[in-house]
Amino acid sequence: MQVAEHETALDVTRELSDFLERRREQIAQRWAEASLFRAVFTVSRDEAVEACKAVVDALAEVARGGRPEDLRAPGFDSVREQLGRMAASRAKAGYTPSQIAGEVAGLREPVTSLLRAEYDDPADPRAQANEIALTILIGTLRLVVMETTVDAGEELIARQRQQLLEVATPVIRLWDGVVAVPLIGTLDSARSQIVMESLLEAIVDQRARYAILDITGVPTVDSLVAQHLMKTVAAARLMGAECIVSGIRPAIAQTIVQLGIDLGTIITRAGLSDALAYALSQQGIVVSPRPAMGGNAR
Amino acid sequence: MHAPFVSATRLSIGSDADLAWVRQQVRQAAAALGFGLVQQTKLVTAVSELARNTLVHGGGGHMEMTPLAEGNRVGLRLSFVDRGPGIRDLELAMTDGYTTGGGLGKGLSGSKRLVAEFAIDSRPGEGTTVTIADWVSGVPSPRAGAS
Ligand SMILES: Nc1ncnc2c1ncn2[C@@H]1O[C@H](COP(=O)(O)OP(=O)(O)OP(=O)(O)O)[C@@H](O)[C@H]1O
Ligand SMILES: [Mg+2]
């Protein structure tokens, strides 16, 4: 029986699609035992079975379309989001992308054994063609999941980064009218933007007259960081607050000078406490050791 | 003390995160080779400037880091390579305060002052390579005579 090649291929995928629809319940029941589904859909087994059925339906639709190798097959659209959630939850549980891909590949085995049972003769060429088509289909599913894993990973990193940005720039009220930001780590553009915004906000909220930027925790001050510092100081000035930069370590001071950056217009102090003392004294507050009161000593 | 182990490395420069990584790798290598704190800080700052130029003006590229040993001197050579637009007027670009991008214009001129050796090779339309080298100074205090 000689048929044109593409026609045979289409026949095979259609047959596979029919099989998947016919065996939907059994496949879903078996998959619901697999760690990939069991660990994610923990509320009830029914929930896991439903999720499995959605994936079987998607595979059946993709197979019916005749292109089991197509990552972008519309059949996958209905489960992309669900697969993404599953992959994300496995990733959160500490699984690496390749381990997750391995779990998806593991879904093939239970389907294969059901498929083989359909044919009396395991050497039947149609049985073999179906098995190959199934292998391709599950391989594509694996890639679809991988894709969502990568997306989810990137999103997770972006979110953690954002959280870090916000957490790492607390504005502290040191005294009436005096706020301080201890800067820690790399002052890239996004960070310095947030520093500037939260500092200006705090200046308004606290009616601060003095703002201290402490850079003890900043490892490198290059021309970009210096420029950000200067911009922040200028913006604070416009809000009516004077900025003091503290914590410039000796090695950084030498480097800034040699780099050719002039911080001459900025008030600097060695440490945070010196900066605070300056801010207080400018407001007429004098901090001095408790005077020895002659009368009640002892 | 024997020559500390720092291997030649190539690091890509394609994002802000890469800049942080490059700085960190250079700081580690410089510390391992015996650079003092002030020299490390200067070198890493120059690296930060040049790597950012590679990213911002050159559209990305890579850095090559090579440990140097010459007689009893130990040092580090760093090349910043991009295939970007190149620099038309090198003398102008090296001028203090010259910028085409709203920066301070201190990156090139400043980093030249921060390290012992500085060379720039650029062809318009082909790209830019900036190479710097620095040597561990014998005395632990900052090098004298830097003007
Ligand atoms: N790798 C590069 N490719 C193309 N042009 C460059 C490159 N590096 C520097 N330039 C050009 O040289 C100019 C001066 O560079 P320099 O690093 O001194 O200043 P900048 O980057 O503009 O500002 P900053 O002070 O923030 O570094 C740049 O504005 C840019 O036009
Ligand atoms: Mg620059």
Side-chain angles (χ1 to χ4, degrees):
Chain A
M1 200 172 57
Q2 283 294 341
V3 199
E5 205 177 298
H6 72 274
E7 238 169 82
T8 324
L10 207 59
D11 276 358
V12 168
T13 52
R14 205 169 288 147
E15 205 176 307
L16 180 63
S17 176
D18 289 343
F19 158 77
L20 290 169
E21 278 169 15
R22 200 164 58 243
R23 297 290 178 192
R24 179 175 187 254
E25 187 66 43
Q26 287 100 316
I27 296 171
Q29 290 295 339
R30 292 187 184 198
W31 278 0
E33 293 301 318
S35 56
L36 181 61
F37 286 96
R38 214 181 44 209
V40 175
F41 299 94
T42 50
V43 176
S44 69
R45 196 186 141 83
D46 281 355
E47 190 197 19
V49 173
E50 280 314 304
C52 295
K53 282 182 184 165
V55 177
V56 181
D57 292 346
L59 293 182
E61 193 187 328
V62 173
R64 187 160 303 280
R67 305 204 36 196
E69 75 291 347
D70 184 8
L71 260 176
R72 304 265 153 257
F76 284 120
D77 290 347
S78 59
V79 286
R80 231 178 265 279
E81 203 234 3
Q82 176 191 317
L83 294 172
R85 269 187 291 127
M86 288 166 62
S89 120
R90 293 309 266 162
K92 249 179 244 157
Y95 282 71
T96 65
S98 61
Q99 282 171 322
I100 298 169
E103 286 191 325
V104 178
L107 297 177
R108 185 172 63 99
E109 190 43 45
V111 188
T112 309
S113 58
L114 281 171
L115 184 62
R116 283 190 191 145
E118 298 270 306
Y119 298 88
D120 302 328
D121 176 9
D124 184 334
R126 295 211 71 91
Q128 305 215 321
N130 264 295
E131 215 176 304
I132 291 168
L134 176 67
T135 304
I136 294 171
L137 191 58
I138 298 285
T140 311
L141 178 69
R142 208 180 67 175
L143 287 177
V144 170
V145 173
M146 287 294 278
E147 222 177 33
T148 67
T149 315
V150 173
D151 287 351
E154 274 168 3
E155 203 187 296
L156 192 70
I157 291 168
R159 202 165 23 192
Q160 284 174 341
R161 215 180 125 78
Q162 189 58 35
Q163 282 168 354
L164 214 80
L165 286 177
E166 281 162 20
V167 170
T169 53
V171 182
I172 303 161
R173 178 174 166 276
L174 283 185
W175 202 275
D176 224 14
V178 184
V179 293
V181 211
L183 298 169
I184 293 160
T186 303
L187 268 189
D188 54 28
S189 297
R191 273 287 296 285
S192 42
Q193 187 61 34
I194 291 192
V195 169
M196 174 135 61
E197 278 165 17
S198 34
L199 185 67
L200 295 181
E201 238 168 66
I203 287 172
V204 174
D205 289 351
Q206 318 264 342
R207 297 164 195 270
R209 298 275 324 279
Y210 292 90
I212 302 170
L213 290 162
D214 186 78
I215 62 167
T216 307
V218 179
T220 308
V221 180
D222 62 8
S223 64
L224 187 71
V225 172
Q227 200 184 12
H228 286 316
L229 284 176
M230 292 193 254
K231 278 185 184 161
T232 306
V233 170
R237 238 172 232 163
L238 284 178
M239 313 289 305
E242 192 63 60
C243 267
I244 304 143
V245 176
S246 66
I248 302 180
R249 281 162 287 141
I252 290 194
Q254 294 180 48
T255 303
I256 291 178
V257 169
Q258 213 165 21
L259 198 52
I261 290 165
D262 182 14
L263 293 182
T265 58
I266 298 179
I267 303 165
T268 56
R269 285 294 180 272
L272 187 54
S273 54
D274 305 309
L276 177 61
Y278 169 84
L280 293 179
S281 72
Q282 287 294 302
Q283 300 185 89
I285 302 164
V286 180
V287 183
S288 59
R290 185 198 304 240
M293 301 224 189
N296 47 4
R298 283 263 200 108
Chain B
M1 203 173 73
H2 280 97
F5 186 75
V6 172
S7 52
T9 329
R10 179 189 163 119
L11 301 170
S12 75
I13 300 172
S15 67
D16 274 353
D18 288 345
L19 296 184
W21 178 244
V22 162
R23 280 194 296 261
Q24 203 178 319
Q25 293 302 104
V26 172
R27 188 181 293 277
Q28 263 174 27
L33 289 170
F35 281 89
L37 181 62
V38 173
Q39 238 189 329
Q40 271 177 47
T41 307
K42 289 181 182 179
L43 187 59
V44 171
T45 305
V47 164
S48 190
E49 295 293 349
L50 298 174
R52 184 174 291 103
N53 280 355
T54 300
L55 178 67
V56 174
H57 304 300
H62 70 269
M63 181 191 82
E64 269 159 43
M65 174 160 75
T66 320
L68 304 172
E70 215 174 72
N72 50 10
R73 291 202 302 174
V74 172
L76 199 57
R77 183 173 63 225
L78 302 154
S79 290
F80 301 83
V81 184
D82 68 62
R83 296 264 157 271
I87 301 172
R88 213 162 283 284
D89 187 340
L90 276 179
E91 205 180 319
L92 190 59
M94 289 297 302
T95 307
D96 250 318
Y98 174 80
T99 175
T100 55
L104 291 178
K106 299 283 184 183
L108 287 177
S109 52
S111 40
K112 182 174 182 182
R113 284 188 292 265
L114 288 172
V115 296
E117 293 166 28
F118 183 101
I120 184 163
D121 178 24
S122 184
R123 251 150 265 182
E126 283 179 38
T128 302
T129 299
V130 180
T131 303
I132 58 174
D134 212 353
W135 301 91
V136 177
S137 50
V139 279
S141 59
R143 282 176 309 144
S147 55

